[in-house]
Amino acid sequence: TVTIQVRAEPGWLHIDICDDGIGFDPAAPVRVNGIRNMKARVEQSLAGSFALVTAPGQGTRISIVVPLDNPVGTKETSNGSAK
């Protein structure tokens, strides 16, 4: 079973994706980049946070939080202007 929860609060969008699958060891070497790419996109492109919680036999949870006031593709400068 997979559940996806999306909620907005002033200035933030929260996304939680959970499953009750077999989970995995997040420290184990991987040959694919799916989760690594999701984390990079959330943190670098959207200025958000990405958290992964999983373990063998425990399912998986991904939590993403992104700001709603920072348009995609812009970085805010120290004076508050976008570049």
Side-chain angles (χ1 to χ4, degrees):
T1 304
V2 175
T3 59
I4 300 172
Q5 296 179 326
V6 179
R7 79 180 151 78
E9 60 182 51
W12 298 97
L13 179 66
H14 298 261
I15 303 168
D16 289 308
I17 305 162
C18 304
D19 73 32
D20 59 358
I22 61 170
F24 60 94
D25 178 357
V30 294
R31 288 179 263 169
V32 294
N33 293 316
I35 290 174
R36 188 176 312 133
N37 287 344
M38 285 191 295
K39 179 176 172 52
R41 288 180 181 143
V42 167
E43 293 177 350
Q44 296 169 11
S45 299
L46 300 175
S49 66
F50 180 97
L52 170 71
V53 177
T54 187
Q58 301 294 313
T60 302
R61 178 186 187 112
I62 295 174
S63 296
I64 297 168
V65 180
V66 294
L68 292 174
D69 56 355
N70 187 17
V72 174
T74 64
K75 298 279 185 183
E76 192 170 296
T77 63
S78 59
N79 68 4
S81 64
K83 60 177 187 172

